[in-house]
Amino acid sequence: MSEYIEHSPSGTSVGRVEKRFFTVAEADSPLTVESGRALGPVVLAYETCGQLNERADNAVLVLHALTGDSHAAGYYEPGDAKPGWWDIMIGPGKPIDTDRYYVICSNVIGGCMGSTGPSSLDPATGQPYGLTFPVITIGDMVRAQKRLVEHLGVTKLLSVVGGSMGGMQALEWSVRYPDMVRTAVPLATTTKHSALAIAFNEVARQAIMADPNWNGGNYYDGVPPAHGLAVGRMIGHITYLSDEAMRQKFDRRLQDRCENSFVLEEPDFQVESYLRYQGQKFVDRFDANSFLYITKAADYFNLEASHGCGSAVAAFAKAKCRYLVASFSSDWLYPTYQSRAMVQAMKKNGLDVSFVELEAKWGHDAFLLPNARLSGMIARFLDRALVDAAKEDARAL
Amino acid sequence: MSEYIEHSPSGTSVGRVEKRFFTVAEADSPLTVESGRALGPVVLAYETCGQLNERADNAVLVLHALTGDSHAAGYYEPGDAKPGWWDIMIGPGKPIDTDRYYVICSNVIGGCMGSTGPSSLDPATGQPYGLTFPVITIGDMVRAQKRLVEHLGVTKLLSVVGGSMGGMQALEWSVRYPDMVRTAVPLATTTKHSALAIAFNEVARQAIMADPNWNGGNYYDGVPPAHGLAVGRMIGHITYLSDEAMRQKFDRRLQDRCENSFVLEEPDFQVESYLRYQGQKFVDRFDANSFLYITKAADYFNLEASHGCGSAVAAFAKAKCRYLVASFSSDWLYPTYQSRAMVQAMKKNGLDVSFVELEAKWGHDAFLLPNARLSGMIARFLDRALVDAAKEDARAL
């Protein structure tokens, strides 16, 4: 690892990491997902950094958002263009300090980055599942993760940490497996997907399904629905920013020109070029069916319904952990009022909750961007969690 | 007309109206549009209600939004399912009182409701223009309207009134033809399209252009790009609502079912069904190329650049009219701060401006919905305008 640390500009990269695979359910002992269907085998792609300590009380499970993956930090190869998606947060001396914590991150089921998803081969047919893959939920993702975590020798997680859909998983963990979670850090997230958030996802899905190449999900031996997926991603990118972020980042600036093109198909404005670029870039790395399944899982997410008969207070009655909740002022996908509501429900259960709305211009995506205040809060929160864990462990002996 | 008034539930319908056509530019004396290209013939579809008075000082030009048309009020036929798009505002005894005002509304050029647009036949080829139609601007729309207004015997409009893209036209009118405009009522609009607004339009355009049936704009003798247009419209409908509007209207309610379908293609939620329905409904009435051209015109709209070298204050230096500006608290497509900025620029020029931010849950679309406060303001504003016009006319004699 050391040879990569010296190449890192900040000197705090975790260095080289390796994607591994663990079969959490076999074909002959499948996972029964929430819809009632059986799925097997179920493989999770995962990565770890840092070392599990002797007491096995320093494991932090990092949970990725919609289009993320297991590659949260570090590099696969020295020449990699980019480090993992949360490299600013995870590494030696960083808030999720890999000198102190054992960090686990896995690709969600339904994904296309190594975990079992619609592009995986169905052992029954030898063909990719496509739309025969069962519709899955955030709860199903978490149930698969539990098996991985246990396999890694962890019976109680120091923390479950994630933003956006990763935050949904963190919340789900805290309520579904309260005895396995000491603390949870749900960022820029919600206890239930709003109509607005569902609407955006639905339009993105419709864009994919409108692409004739989608072909009912059967495109793995042909041309993928790249146009539809690109449009879907463009919609997503609008929701990740904010009015102010777009104004600051692009305003009405033209792209490589001095005046309007007066050509219909031309991207005159920088924001148009940016969106087209993001759309194009995405189709090279993501599977359209995975996008459909994962957005559906996010839309179905409703912690209040699935754990509290419709009541957030009842849902959090199951939780035992300490929470650090953060929202971002310009996030209009999961606005602050949704975080406030979850914090209220936590507090009504007497849970120990820290909450902050962070001033941020960059909209929903802010949780992925450098933010000294957020970094400091997470660092201190985990530090206290580890101290508390050590005390508890000492008491238990 | 009278026979329909008695059928109107409120007794204040303008009754039957007729779509008329006026050729504002001939093939041999075309309109040179802002891009420099020549367009001719140019026909505007228009409707009028009320009577022009003797002094010809009671004409109100109503300007429609993106997908509107000349049919602002009344009915074409007794059996019509719906009246014109602003029937709540226009009619005898209504805020834009057709007993007092002569109301004109025309379909914009580039449109597909009777005015010359990309689906019109190019006289040079005998075929629909498709993408050979010139890219047009809000300024071009207004220049065509001026010819219609003059044709109707109006040299000075009592008011130019419109919301959203209609508001852009109202602003454009007030600055481009200051001597022809006594008052202007720009609602839920902006002096320049923001990056966010451009972004939404661009994604909608990409959705249409991604549809293979779009075929570079040549689909008039084949199958239109209905899937792409439907997705584009769905995106629009999200921007016309608001987070709160969607929560109140749909929340997470399921459509015709008690539980999640766990079927990927199914619209589980009401908001999904609503959007799909809106998308489907739209493709029956609107031309995809018109959608492309009109959104491009809106994106190009920048009153500050085109009339003030980049300064809103300089742009409004040309204006002479009195303004009534209204924004809506939940409108995130053209948020209140954009209206405030235009009001400031008007005031710096010593212009007489009334401004109100109306509390409204329903997002951008609020200007189309019943709102007693807005109705009252418009009624009083026009009333005073007519009184002032009469005084001025008397002085001029």
Side-chain angles (χ1 to χ4, degrees), chain B residues 53-59 100-101 156-159 182-183 322 381-397:
Chain B
N53 64 11
E54 254 181 53
R55 296 188 310 269
D57 66 2
N58 70 333
R100 306 181 65 204
Y101 310 116
K156 193 160 189 174
L157 288 158
L158 182 70
S159 198
R182 283 184 202 276
T183 69
R322 203 152 60 84
F381 184 79
L382 292 182
D383 183 65
R384 182 179 146 196
L386 192 60
V387 170
D388 288 352
K391 282 184 200 161
E392 258 183 60
D393 292 339
R395 273 198 299 273
L397 289 176

Side-chain angles (χ1 to χ4, degrees), chain A residues 131 135 193 195 202 205-206 212 243 247 252 260 262 265-266 268 272 276 296 299-300 302 337, chain B residues 131 135 193 202 205-206 212 243 247 252 260 262 265-266 268 272 276 296 299-300 302 337:
Chain A
L131 286 217
V135 167
H193 233 210
E202 168 66 3
R205 283 192 295 266
Q206 288 293 310
D243 182 34
R247 199 162 65 247
R252 290 181 53 85
N260 295 344
F262 289 111
E265 311 95 311
E266 279 295 309
D268 287 86
E272 296 176 299
R276 289 191 191 189
K296 191 88 170 173
D299 288 351
Y300 276 164
N302 186 349
Y337 77 84
Chain B
L131 284 219
V135 167
H193 233 209
E202 169 66 4
R205 282 192 295 266
Q206 289 292 312
D243 182 35
R247 198 164 62 249
R252 291 181 53 84
N260 295 342
F262 289 110
E265 309 96 310
E266 280 293 310
D268 288 86
E272 295 176 300
R276 289 191 191 189
K296 191 86 169 172
D299 288 352
Y300 274 165
N302 186 348
Y337 76 85

Side-chain angles (χ1 to χ4, degrees), chain A residues 20-25 42-46 147-148 151:
Chain A
R20 295 170 200 271
F21 301 90
F22 176 64
T23 302
V24 301
V42 179
V43 174
L44 287 193
Y46 71 98
R147 298 183 181 192
L148 169 66
H151 161 73

Side-chain angles (χ1 to χ4, degrees), chain A residues 103-247:
Chain A
V103 178
I104 308 163
C105 184
S106 65
N107 185 212
V108 296
I109 55 168
C112 53
M113 302 296 191
S115 293
T116 302
S119 58
S120 302
L121 294 186
D122 178 354
T125 65
Q127 298 296 313
Y129 283 102
L131 286 217
T132 66
F133 193 79
V135 167
I136 42 116
T137 64
I138 301 289
D140 292 326
M141 294 174 184
V142 164
R143 288 169 59 223
Q145 288 158 5
K146 174 174 182 274
R147 298 183 181 192
L148 169 66
V149 165
E150 287 171 340
H151 161 73
L152 293 172
V154 177
T155 51
K156 191 160 191 176
L157 287 158
L158 183 67
S159 197
V160 288
V161 185
S164 195
M165 195 185 80
M168 296 177 204
Q169 293 164 68
L171 291 170
E172 180 76 25
W173 258 100
S174 71
V175 169
R176 187 178 282 266
Y177 303 119
D179 293 318
M180 284 188 73
V181 176
R182 283 184 200 277
T183 70
V185 186
L187 306 171
T189 196
T190 183
T191 53
K192 56 179 182 189
H193 233 210
S194 69
L196 180 68
I198 294 170
F200 278 120
N201 277 348
E202 168 66 3
V203 178
R205 283 192 295 266
Q206 288 293 310
I208 291 167
M209 295 197 260
D211 188 327
N213 288 335
W214 180 62
N215 190 32
N218 297 315
Y219 52 79
Y220 293 110
D221 57 356
V223 180
H227 289 302
L229 183 59
V231 171
R233 181 60 167 175
M234 290 170 75
I235 295 165
H237 265 279
I238 296 179
T239 69
Y240 306 151
L241 288 167
S242 66
D243 182 34
E244 190 184 347
M246 286 211 182
R247 199 162 65 247

